Amino acid sequence: GAVVSQHPSWVICKSGTSVKIECRSLDFQATTMFWYRQFPKQSLMLMATSNEGSKATYEQGVEKDKFLINHASLTLSTLTVTSAHPEDSSFYICSARVNRGRTDTQYFGPGTRLTVL
Amino acid sequence: RKEVEQDPGPFNVPEGATVAFNCTYSNSASQSFFWYRQDCRKEPKLLMSVYSSGNEDGRFTAQLNRASQYISLLIRDSKLSDSATYLCVVNGPAAGNKLTFGGGTRVLVKP
């Protein structure tokens, strides 16, 4: 399958600081990437769709000014959690969409575990 | 009603046994279906796509029933390494071609 990387894999920060998470497609170009969040014992919830060269599309209830997404190239999307608070602590996972034959498939990055103190 | 529903389990399975579980989806316009596997504190990994005719990949068999709007996953000859959470995932134009995840079914294979 396609390879997607994320950095950092985990981060601990103080409340009020901003945290930037990078998502890279390593062996393919991705015009569309997705950002998900997963709280303990819950399923993945889509936060936003990141489109190369244009603004991200946010899901209902996700604050675009708090979760800044930039998709500046075909292999890189970044998510910045601004002024993070303890309730933002979660597992953030990106994915990239690839068209493989009969259907589009999404491959996920390894995730970033954010803990806000 | 959730768009994609799964029995959360856990399904406790003796090693070597067969386990099967379903997932129901609410949007009849859904077009693509997948099973992903997620290990604890890891990202989801694609297990298999689910095709209308049903498909098999080694010990794993997936079926799609469009009339009743459910998909199933069957695992034969369970291995200890099959212990994981299995996520049912649905994709379709009504959702803007975005994936919708079920809550996952936890499977525990025991010796």
Side-chain angles (χ1 to χ4, degrees):
Chain A
V3 179
V4 177
S5 72
Q6 265 183 257
H7 177 81
S9 55
W10 60 270
V11 58
I12 301 173
C13 69
K14 291 182 179 180
S15 186
T17 59
S18 294
V19 175
K20 187 175 184 179
I21 304 170
E22 292 186 351
C23 176
R24 292 181 185 273
S25 55
L26 297 186
D27 52 356
F28 64 100
Q29 294 182 329
T31 54
T32 304
M33 292 183 173
F34 302 89
W35 286 96
Y36 295 84
R37 182 166 53 181
Q38 186 177 34
F39 292 106
K41 298 188 185 296
Q42 295 185 27
S43 192
L44 277 74
M45 294 300 296
L46 179 65
M47 297 176 67
T49 302
S50 174
N51 302 297
E52 187 268 334
S54 64
K55 291 183 179 179
T57 304
Y58 291 82
E59 295 301 298
Q60 193 172 14
V62 178
E63 300 174 56
K64 63 180 181 180
D65 294 329
K66 180 169 180 64
F67 299 99
L68 302 178
I69 292 173
N70 185 282
H71 195 151
S73 77
L74 287 171
T75 59
L76 173 65
S77 175
T78 61
L79 168 68
T80 301
V81 183
T82 62
S83 186
H85 288 92
E87 57 266 30
D88 298 323
S89 299
S90 186
F91 190 43
Y92 291 85
I93 310 174
C94 73
S95 73
R97 184 159 64 194
V98 178
N99 184 279
R100 291 276 169 91
R102 295 169 69 170
T103 185
D104 287 345
T105 303
Q106 282 191 31
Y107 291 92
F108 288 82
T112 297
R113 195 160 300 278
L114 170 64
T115 302
V116 184
L117 302 177
Chain B
R1 183 187 173 188
K2 292 182 181 177
E3 290 186 60
V4 181
E5 290 202 70
Q6 294 183 250
D7 183 338
F11 285 63
N12 294 300
V13 184
E15 190 176 9
T18 295
V19 61
F21 41 89
N22 294 340
C23 154
T24 58
Y25 60 96
S26 60
N27 190 336
S28 60
S30 300
Q31 293 184 335
S32 304
F33 308 88
F34 309 89
W35 283 105
Y36 278 76
R37 171 197 169 124
Q38 186 174 26
D39 293 294
C40 187
R41 301 173 77 84
K42 298 281 188 180
E43 79 278 19
K45 293 187 178 178
L46 180 64
L47 180 65
M48 57 197 302
S49 301
V50 186
Y51 302 125
S52 297
S53 54
N55 48 303
E56 189 175 302
D57 183 359
R59 299 180 292 108
F60 298 85
T61 301
Q63 296 280 351
L64 167 64
N65 186 316
R66 284 192 182 274
S68 300
Q69 295 183 203
Y70 75 85
I71 67 174
S72 64
L73 181 66
L74 181 146
I75 307 174
R76 283 186 300 277
D77 187 23
S78 299
K79 311 291 184 190
L80 296 177
S81 57
D82 294 333
S83 296
T85 296
Y86 291 85
L87 302 173
C88 172
V89 185
V90 173
N91 188 10
N97 277 322
K98 295 175 287 191
L99 297 183
T100 303
F101 285 79
T105 296
R106 192 164 171 224
V107 172
L108 296 173
V109 182
K110 300 185 175 180

